[in-house]
Amino acid sequence: MRSSPNIIEIKSLNKIYKKGDIQIPAIRELDCSIGKGSFTSVIGKSGSGKSTLLNLIGGLDKADSGRILFNGKDMSSFNRKEMALHRRTSVGMIFQSFNLIHHRTALGNVMLALAFGGVNSGKRKKRAMELLSDVGLGNRMDHKPTELSGGEAQRAGIARALANRPVLLLADEPTGNLDSQTAEEIMALLTGLNKQGLSIIMVTHDQESATTVSDRVIRLKDGQIIEDKKVQI
Ligand code: ADP
Ligand code: MG
């Protein structure tokens, strides 16, 4: 198989939510390719389909029709086991509300992700400590999410997302709950990860940060791409 320069190739993708008799098309005939090593921002009004698109790429949800090729592999052909593996090891996800497990410490959250990724128990603690140090949280590992600031919680979320060495990071409004100074620090962390070769797709409300950190900005409206711009950085 010829290796593609794209980590993601999306063809005629459709996702329709059904609520009783009502059908809500969230993604409509969407086509898009995302290059390996790129940093793409996805913007658009609330309800335009941004989270749905990330969830489909992340394997949290299944499309109704169309295809997503991940590193050349058609995700619609994945069985449950392959999809679980995709979620645990191929992609990492971070969220606006961090989605950490509340009764576990930062270290515990990262160790759990490592367990899901199949890292054996003897190696988890050391690796989790390294991951947390790498994101600047070396001195807060034993804190639970409620004992962390928003920025610290997002750093823990990033460490968890990176636990199983994903090739693609999906970020859904990662700075939506943060003040502007902290948001800048998180953006700088993401930029650094991208420079190390990690591909990133980030949904954001913040058009300014989209154009400063990413090399491409895609605008969604009603589940379709209405604008797709390269950014000089
Ligand atoms: P965004 O992230 O851009 O705000 P979403 O992807 O969350 O948008 O939602 C796209 C559309 O799909 C919206 O109209 C939303 O109401 C609808 N939607 C999202 N999730 C669900 C769901 N689980 N059930 C029904 N409709 C949904
Ligand atoms: Mg959303």
Side-chain angles (χ1 to χ4, degrees), residues 96-130:
Q96 177 171 6
S97 49
F98 322 123
N99 292 14
L100 297 166
I101 294 172
H102 284 269
H103 63 270
R104 285 178 182 258
T105 62
L107 190 69
N109 269 277
V110 179
M111 284 174 70
L112 186 64
L114 289 165
F116 282 138
V119 175
N120 62 45
S121 55
K123 294 189 176 158
R124 283 177 212 153
K125 189 164 184 186
K126 182 164 175 280
R127 170 112 180 96
M129 289 169 78
E130 285 166 5

Side-chain angles (χ1 to χ4, degrees), residues 1-6 9 36 69-74:
M1 194 169 66
R2 200 154 50 90
S3 135
S4 160
N6 294 321
E9 285 176 21
K36 281 179 187 158
L69 303 185
F70 182 88
N71 256 339
K73 278 182 275 175
D74 186 349

Side-chain angles (χ1 to χ4, degrees), residues 15-19 24-27 44-53 55 61 172-173 203 205 220 223:
K15 174 71 189 176
I16 303 163
Y17 290 108
K18 292 163 192 86
K19 265 195 166 284
I24 304 159
I27 296 293
K45 291 197 178 125
S46 176
S48 57
K50 306 181 298 296
S51 294
T52 302
L53 181 61
N55 291 345
D61 213 340
D172 196 348
E173 311 254 11
V203 167
H205 261 106
L220 285 189

